[in-house]
Amino acid sequence: MVFGIISAAVHIVLGAALGGWAGGTLGLLIGAVVGLLVGAPFGWAVASARVYGPDARGVWLFVVDHTWSLLNTAVGAVYLAVHLIFGHQLDRTTSQHSCRVDVVEGVSPRYATTIGTVCAGSSPGIQRHEDVHIFQGRLLGPLYIPLVLLNYVLFTIAPVWLLWHDHTNAPINAFTRYFEIGVYPHVWNEAIAYRIQGSPPR
């Protein structure tokens, strides 16, 4: 319960700070409301599923997620809120003491998607892959999302990955495959995660 309350409060303070910086007193109030709308569901999920254990690991990762990696956590909180709006279910069993928030339903039936500490549509067979993304975010903090987005943009407009792509087993023969088979598995965060667990789509 304490972790959930603190988490929600951190999101409210973050929203208020960003709002105040962008728009003075009115911006501060609007930012605080936005922080509440995003932080309350996330805090509820953290408390309801007992995401962070009371041990040293749980406390340490909670602190990391709400300081150095706060940008990733906040974007993940928005992601969770969207899932909840669409009626998706929190997976309390796998979330408990895992230091991540698991959602049963994913964005796509073919892929799990992890943003911040929120993992949607995963399964035991690919959970290590998704956990790599959470670790990457915790390691790189506020740099993680910009670096991932930058790599997607770079590899979309300048497909240098074609130099080492497996053209025989994963041919790029359709527009959609350019992104699904080409850009996506070659961006740095996915390439690392697939080396640890899983096989890139073909």
Side-chain angles (χ1 to χ4, degrees), residues 3 51-66 99:
F3 283 137
V51 169
Y52 297 93
D55 57 350
R57 175 179 178 269
V59 172
W60 168 246
L61 291 179
F62 178 84
V63 170
V64 170
D65 290 342
H66 291 81
C99 299

Side-chain angles (χ1 to χ4, degrees), residues 20-44:
W21 173 76
T25 304
L26 179 60
L28 184 146
L29 294 173
I30 293 171
V33 170
V34 172
L36 175 64
L37 293 175
V38 171
F42 189 79
W44 164 81

Side-chain angles (χ1 to χ4, degrees), residues 83-182:
H83 274 285
L84 295 176
I85 287 170
F86 280 91
H88 295 178
Q89 303 171 63
L90 183 65
D91 190 335
R92 290 176 175 81
T93 302
T94 60
S95 296
Q96 185 174 348
H97 296 176
S98 67
C99 299
R100 67 173 186 268
V101 177
D102 291 337
V103 178
V104 175
E105 301 87 352
V107 175
S108 162
R110 292 190 60 193
Y111 299 104
T113 307
T114 297
I115 299 178
T117 58
V118 178
C119 180
S122 189
S123 66
I126 58 169
Q127 190 57 59
R128 279 184 62 219
H129 175 109
E130 299 307 318
D131 287 342
V132 169
H133 295 318
I134 297 174
F135 173 77
Q136 291 166 339
R138 286 170 172 157
L139 180 66
L140 296 174
L143 302 176
Y144 175 67
I145 291 175
L147 287 174
V148 170
L149 293 176
L150 182 63
N151 198 178
Y152 268 101
V153 171
L154 175 65
F155 277 13
T156 298
I157 62 177
V160 294
W161 48 267
L162 285 168
L163 297 173
W164 62 85
H165 179 73
D166 183 356
H167 295 277
T168 303
N169 295 313
I172 307 296
N173 51 17
F175 180 74
T176 55
R177 287 179 64 81
Y178 178 83
F179 294 99
E180 185 178 8
I181 310 301

